[in-house]
Amino acid sequence: MSWKTELPLIAILRGITPPEAGAHIQTLLDAGFDAIEIPLNSPEWAVSIGEAVRNFGEGALIGAGTVLQVPQVEQLAALGSKLVVTPNTQPAVIRRAVALGMTVCAGCATATEAFNALDAGAQALKIFPSLSFGPDYIKALKAVLPPQVPVFAVGGITPENLHQYLAAGCVGAGLGSDLYRAGQPLERTAQQAAAFVRAYKEATR
């Protein structure tokens, strides 16, 4: 399996609103990001995702997080979303998203959940919440997973600790509140995006 972006860092824009989304996404793309997740508990998420797909979908993997139900998957497909990120392992959601041609990064915490997600067709896994489990847990879990499966650390990842999770076997990470908090200025997004890209490059060179 392979991850479909150049930079395996997923920008999680939880709480972003449609008027803000375009400028923040452009700032992230300028910094080198090419995977954008707008969680479904954000205001007017369908508007934000639809506009993001139209404006940036050619050059980035645009989609949704906190996807919990099959009807949400179908609505996302209609919007042109190419990425589905779940907080849990729900085989019906994963199967439907895969059937509709989307890339699925499924949330899991245990080996059972991880293999259930893979059996349902998930192309990538996210270990959530990673900070609570720690790099050693992820390293142990990776030992039983197929080596070609991309594993992302999500939850509590910062520019300072990213290297620990990459060393534990993660291909990349999903970046939440340390990258973007609802309402923050563009300058903060640019600053944190640059810090994460720098940290990733330093850890993988």
Side-chain angles (χ1 to χ4, degrees):
M1 298 182 187
S2 61
W3 183 247
K4 298 180 179 181
T5 66
E6 293 296 320
L7 180 72
L9 299 177
I10 305 170
I12 303 170
L13 302 181
R14 189 178 306 279
I16 203 161
T17 64
E20 302 170 293
H24 284 272
I25 292 172
Q26 185 63 64
T27 295
L28 289 162
L29 299 185
D30 290 344
F33 280 75
D34 54 356
I36 307 294
E37 166 193 337
I38 297 177
L40 298 194
N41 54 3
S42 303
E44 298 183 271
W45 60 265
V47 176
S48 294
I49 291 174
E51 291 179 352
V53 167
R54 287 191 294 275
N55 294 329
F56 307 107
E58 289 299 316
L61 188 64
I62 305 289
T66 319
V67 181
L68 300 171
Q69 301 169 356
V70 170
Q72 293 172 335
V73 172
E74 293 170 346
Q75 186 175 358
L76 288 166
L79 292 170
S81 172
K82 297 299 183 185
L83 173 65
V84 165
V85 182
T86 70
N88 61 344
T89 301
Q90 176 50 264
V93 168
I94 296 168
R95 289 193 191 100
R96 186 59 178 147
V98 171
L100 290 170
M102 289 187 267
T103 298
V104 179
C105 185
C108 59
T110 67
T112 296
E113 292 171 349
F115 281 105
N116 285 345
L118 295 176
D119 287 345
Q123 299 98 331
L125 301 173
K126 79 173 200 185
I127 309 302
F128 177 81
S130 287
L131 185 64
S132 299
F133 290 108
D136 289 345
Y137 177 86
I138 294 176
K139 185 176 181 180
L141 184 60
K142 276 280 297 177
V144 300
L145 294 175
Q148 73 272 21
V149 174
V151 172
F152 289 78
V154 182
I157 308 304
T158 68
E160 292 72 32
N161 68 20
L162 174 62
H163 68 96
Q164 299 174 5
Y165 293 89
L166 297 175
C170 292
V171 67
L175 310 174
S177 60
D178 212 69
L179 174 66
Y180 176 82
R181 291 180 186 270
Q184 77 180 25
L186 280 174
E187 293 77 11
R188 172 69 177 173
T189 300
Q191 176 187 12
Q192 290 304 99
F196 273 112
V197 171
R198 186 165 55 249
Y200 175 81
K201 289 182 177 178
E202 288 176 355
T204 56
R205 65 186 177 190

